[in-house]
């Protein structure tokens, strides 16, 4: 098992803030909109540097999406910012009709995704957003794993033409990817090569998969771990290459098991190479209030849950 270490923990939303500032420096067409959550979205540095390119919309998320769509007509590259729940569930109609349908170059940037929103509870912990957004034709869906990867992804989507959903979170997590990395949309990242089982993980679950891989190695199980940071378009070639070698799959995500990464992987396998698959995901449930660690344990998204899923799938191999 390849060894990964870290010297600090940072929230992925701060990676978005840093990436937004750099994207703004590179391209003066980049603008930002926020729905009254500047601090939560870490947009402060961008606003300080480019006050004339920032629009505070207030608690009017649907209006924000409409304004963002309109700004693209004049050549602007708008980045919208609010919580994932308000970025998707509250404004799905506006995204579908005004952004996706007409292929507007809007970057929908969503913080506080998944259970790790924590104490704010079920009404704010959207667990369906990946499924909602990946079903929209032409929508790119990205869920990076740490601060550095989120920063790189934010910079990359500014150069990509078309609507993008960028998902990130609030808790501090290990920073273990390269600071100077080049983010390739649609290209999976090989974390660890292995032969016994393929673990496809996304977002906060990538580090959990690394922890699981280390413990599995201690009991003689050689796990291949792949970071699927881009859920759509999915790197199908990487999935099939890995599965041809290992013959079984575990998917790990901070999302409902219906409609998320696991379903995308399953579709590829069904069409090409059906093999046993286990899901590490929220099992058709809303969340609740609690600390991020408590919720990840209770809803089966922890390191030990990945290990158990691997042990189950190996028995079915």
């Amino acid at each position: 098992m390849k060894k990964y270490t870290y010297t600090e923990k940072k929230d992925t939303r701060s990676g978005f803030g840093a990436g937004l500032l750099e994207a703004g420096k590179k391209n003066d067409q980049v603008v930002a909109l926020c729905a009254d959550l500047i601090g939560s979205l870490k947009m402060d540095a961008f606003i300080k540097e480019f006050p004339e390119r920032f629009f505070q919309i207030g608690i009017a998320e649907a209006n924000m999406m409409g304004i963002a769509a309109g700004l693209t007509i004049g050549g602007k590259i708008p980045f919208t910012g609010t919580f994932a729940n308000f970025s998707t569930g509250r404004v799905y109609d506006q995204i579908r009709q005004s952004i996706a349908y007409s292929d507007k170059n809007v970057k929908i940037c969503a913080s506080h995704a998944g259970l790790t929103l924590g104490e704010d509870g079920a009404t704010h912990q959207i667990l369906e957003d990946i499924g909602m957004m990946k079903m929209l034709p032409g929508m790119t869906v990205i869920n990076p794993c740490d601060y550095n990867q989120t920063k790189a992804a934010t910079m990359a989507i500014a150069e990509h033409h078309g609507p993008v959903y960028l998902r990130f979170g609030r808790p501090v997590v290990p920073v273990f990817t390269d600071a100077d990395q080049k983010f390739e949309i649609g290209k999976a990242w090989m974390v660890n090569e292995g032969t016994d089982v393929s673990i496809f993980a996304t977002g906060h679950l990538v580090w959990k998969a690394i922890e699981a891989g280390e413990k599995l190695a201690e009991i003689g199980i050689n796990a291949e771990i792949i970071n699927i940071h881009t859920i759509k378009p999915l790197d199908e070639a990487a999935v099939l290459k890995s599965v041809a070698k290992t013959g079984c799959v575990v998917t790990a995500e901070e999302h409902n098991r219906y409609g998320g990464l696991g379903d995308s992987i399953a579709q590829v396998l069904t069409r090409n190479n059906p093999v046993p698959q286990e899901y590490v995901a929220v099992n058709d449930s809303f969340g609740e209030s609690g600390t991020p660690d408590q919720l990840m344990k209770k809803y089966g998204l922890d390191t030990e849950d990945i290990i158990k899923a691997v042990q189950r799938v190996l028995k079915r191999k």
Side-chain angles (χ1 to χ4, degrees):
M1 175 71 192
K2 185 177 178 180
K3 188 68 177 175
Y4 286 87
T5 59
Y6 64 92
T7 57
E8 62 177 338
K9 291 184 176 183
K10 298 174 82 170
D11 48 338
T12 51
R13 60 177 173 160
S14 288
F16 163 70
L20 179 63
L21 176 61
E22 293 305 313
K25 290 177 179 178
K26 280 185 78 172
N27 189 337
D28 62 9
Q29 295 302 300
V30 170
V31 298
L33 302 83
C34 191
D36 202 32
L37 287 167
I38 292 170
S40 293
L41 271 290
K42 304 299 181 180
M43 289 179 158
D44 311 73
F46 180 90
I47 296 167
K48 183 177 180 181
E49 187 82 11
F50 309 110
E52 74 287 355
R53 288 157 56 187
F54 173 74
F55 304 91
Q56 174 59 276
I57 309 302
I59 307 174
E61 294 86 356
N63 195 32
M64 179 170 69
M65 295 302 170
I67 292 170
L71 285 165
T72 67
I73 297 171
K76 302 300 182 186
I77 305 171
F79 282 66
T80 68
T82 186
F83 288 1
N85 194 14
F86 310 143
S87 289
T88 57
R90 179 170 288 181
V91 294
Y92 196 71
D93 179 61
Q94 284 73 25
I95 292 172
R96 183 183 187 275
Q97 306 294 76
S98 298
I99 296 174
Y101 178 63
S102 51
D103 193 36
K104 292 293 192 296
N105 193 28
V106 176
K107 316 307 174 185
I108 302 164
C109 303
S111 184
H112 294 58
L115 286 173
T116 49
L117 175 54
E119 292 83 354
D120 287 3
T123 56
H124 286 50
Q125 295 161 347
I126 195 160
L127 298 165
E128 316 91 65
D129 54 319
I130 289 174
M132 294 168 65
M133 299 306 282
K134 76 177 187 179
M135 284 192 294
L136 289 170
M139 182 68 70
T140 294
V141 179
I142 297 174
N143 188 38
C145 65
D146 72 352
Y147 172 94
N148 287 338
Q149 192 169 81
T150 307
K151 179 181 178 180
T154 305
M155 296 165 64
I157 66 174
E159 299 177 2
H160 168 84
H161 183 82
V164 175
Y165 179 60
L166 178 65
R167 183 190 208 245
F168 41 92
R170 180 169 74 175
V172 294
V173 294
V175 180
F176 61 96
T177 69
D178 294 339
D180 59 351
Q181 66 188 275
K182 178 174 173 54
F183 187 89
E184 294 185 66
I185 296 172
K187 184 70 173 176
W189 176 50
M190 177 66 71
V191 178
N192 184 72
E193 294 193 31
T195 55
D196 296 330
V197 59
S198 298
I199 302 175
F200 298 109
T202 188
H204 295 145
L205 270 293
V206 175
W207 182 255
K208 299 288 186 182
I210 291 171
E211 291 180 330
E214 291 175 347
K215 293 185 178 181
L216 288 165
E218 293 173 1
I219 57 175
I221 298 172
N222 185 9
E224 181 147 294
I225 303 169
I226 297 180
N227 172 9
I228 306 291
H229 51 66
T230 306
I231 295 170
K232 182 186 176 185
L234 183 66
D235 190 345
E236 296 189 8
V239 171
L240 293 172
K241 182 179 179 181
S242 178
V243 171
K245 179 168 48 172
T246 65
C248 63
V249 167
V250 169
T251 53
E253 59 192 308
E254 190 184 344
H255 189 269
N256 196 322
R257 65 177 296 174
Y258 298 107
L261 170 65
D263 273 3
S264 291
I265 298 290
Q267 286 187 36
V268 174
L269 300 179
T270 299
R271 295 196 311 269
N272 296 280
N273 184 15
V275 299
Q277 178 177 346
E278 291 286 334
Y279 291 71
V280 175
V282 176
N283 187 21
D284 195 26
S285 169
F286 291 102
E288 62 182 290
S289 295
T291 68
D293 286 345
Q294 288 171 335
L295 294 169
M296 295 288 272
K297 286 182 171 64
K298 177 169 181 177
Y299 288 85
L301 307 182
D302 212 355
T303 305
E304 291 302 319
D305 299 295
I306 298 175
I307 293 169
K308 290 174 184 176
V310 167
Q311 292 169 332
R312 287 196 305 270
V313 83
L314 287 173
K315 291 178 182 177
R316 299 170 53 204
K317 191 172 174 181

